Amino acid sequence: MPRFLRIPLSGLAFLIFYGCASAIAWILLPIERHRLRHLPADEQRLALDRFFMRTYAFAIGFMARLGLMHYRLPDTSKIPPGPKVIVANHPSLIDVLFIKASLPGVVVLVKAALFKSPSLRRIFMASGDFKGPDGEGQTFGKTAVLDIFVERLRAGRSVLVFPEGTRSPAWRLHRFRRGAAEAAIRAGVPILPIFVLNDPPVLKKGDKWYDMPKRVPEFELEVLPMIDTANRSSRELTTELRNMLAVRLEAARERTVARNRAEN
């Protein structure tokens, strides 16, 4: 689809996204909870996890049907069950949608500002996401936030962390913070690295909804081998994680450069 058509469709997608968020929060979610009310608490939690997983899958599927992107989700059937820290690079605004559509029951720390929306707040709280402190206090390395993450892990939830703390620059990575590895060590859980490919980069930090690349962007997730955190330091683990994702990012960049040269 040409770029001049994708720009208005992108605006339409954002409008529909927020409209659907209200419909989910105030109509579909209450209906789902009513349907599940007779189940034990654990089964209700699992059913809600699947409900939200389908919701996120629908959201990205809808954007793909509009012609705004192509995407490929990973096969997660062989991922061992149990709580884990999920660590990923963060090239775009919508990375979390792909990860939540791939793995049920994943919780994230949400910016405090987003909790000001009544509809989004209901969705976040129902799915297990939780609010970070206001302002700079929401940094993952802060003790209070780290304690919340460890608490969630010990309660059996998997926690998604973007160690860069913000969206990545195009084809690069920021410095990784050690909070994700530290939380995994304290809770005694493994780390699951996920590489997110966004080619060409779109919805980066500072991008507007109308900043569309010439080519339709492709999103792809690669689940990397699980990392055991026993007897490891957070510094060592953080370095390993960043190197692992940086290698894949550079390989993807080189493929794109080669393809662009061939097309030109």
Side-chain angles (χ1 to χ4, degrees):
M1 180 179 293
R3 181 175 180 272
F4 76 88
L5 288 179
R6 284 186 280 120
I7 291 175
L9 285 175
S10 175
L12 176 64
F14 272 89
L15 289 174
I16 291 175
F17 176 83
Y18 284 106
C20 287
S22 296
I24 291 168
W26 303 103
I27 301 174
L28 297 183
L29 182 57
I31 290 174
E32 184 71 6
R33 281 178 157 164
H34 181 76
R35 186 180 71 83
L36 302 173
R37 69 190 186 282
H38 298 304
L39 296 178
D42 289 347
E43 293 183 26
Q44 287 187 35
R45 178 73 268 163
L46 291 174
L48 278 177
D49 287 345
R50 291 191 293 269
F51 167 78
F52 282 111
M53 189 176 180
R54 293 192 301 271
T55 299
Y56 288 113
F58 174 82
I60 59 177
F62 176 75
M63 288 186 283
R65 286 189 290 273
L66 282 180
L68 296 173
M69 66 177 183
H70 306 299
Y71 72 95
R72 182 160 49 209
L73 298 181
D75 177 11
T76 59
S77 60
K78 296 181 180 179
I79 297 177
K84 57 189 71 68
V85 172
I86 300 167
V87 168
N89 58 313
H90 195 11
S92 83
L93 176 66
I94 57 176
D95 301 329
V96 68
L97 301 182
F98 296 97
I99 295 174
K100 285 205 164 198
S102 302
L103 296 164
V106 175
V107 302
V108 297
L109 174 73
V110 177
K111 290 182 179 180
L114 293 177
F115 264 78
K116 294 178 181 179
S117 164
S119 296
L120 293 179
R121 182 170 62 247
R122 283 174 64 89
I123 292 173
F124 294 147
M125 295 180 68
S127 62
D129 299 332
F130 50 102
K131 181 178 73 170
D134 293 322
E136 293 299 321
Q138 68 182 357
T139 302
F140 183 74
K142 298 289 184 180
T143 302
V145 179
L146 190 58
D147 289 345
I148 295 173
F149 268 79
V150 173
E151 176 187 327
R152 287 295 195 279
L153 291 166
R154 288 175 176 166
R157 307 291 283 180
S158 291
V159 180
L160 169 62
V161 182
F162 297 112
E164 295 170 271
T166 187
R167 276 170 272 170
S168 314
W171 299 112
R172 294 188 293 119
L173 297 175
H174 289 296
R175 180 181 65 86
F176 274 28
R177 298 171 180 173
R178 292 161 51 189
E182 185 63 33
I185 291 170
R186 292 189 189 185
V189 302
I191 295 175
L192 179 67
I194 293 182
F195 172 60
V196 182
L197 173 63
N198 172 205
D199 178 24
V202 67
L203 296 177
K204 306 182 303 301
K205 187 75 171 180
D207 283 357
K208 305 299 183 183
W209 60 266
Y210 49 79
D211 291 328
M212 290 286 105
K214 292 182 179 180
R215 180 164 54 85
V216 176
E218 300 178 9
F219 287 85
E220 183 175 353
L221 270 61
E222 179 187 1
V223 176
L224 305 179
M226 195 94 77
I227 299 175
D228 187 4
T229 59
N231 302 314
R232 303 284 300 275
S233 71
S234 60
R235 186 182 300 277
E236 176 189 3
L237 286 167
T238 302
T239 300
E240 179 180 345
L241 286 163
R242 191 183 188 282
N243 291 342
M244 184 184 298
L245 294 173
V247 165
R248 278 159 175 79
L249 186 60
E250 178 59 21
R253 188 192 68 81
E254 291 177 354
R255 289 194 301 271
T256 294
V257 170
R259 179 173 61 182
N260 291 341
R261 285 175 179 169
E263 291 175 352
N264 294 331

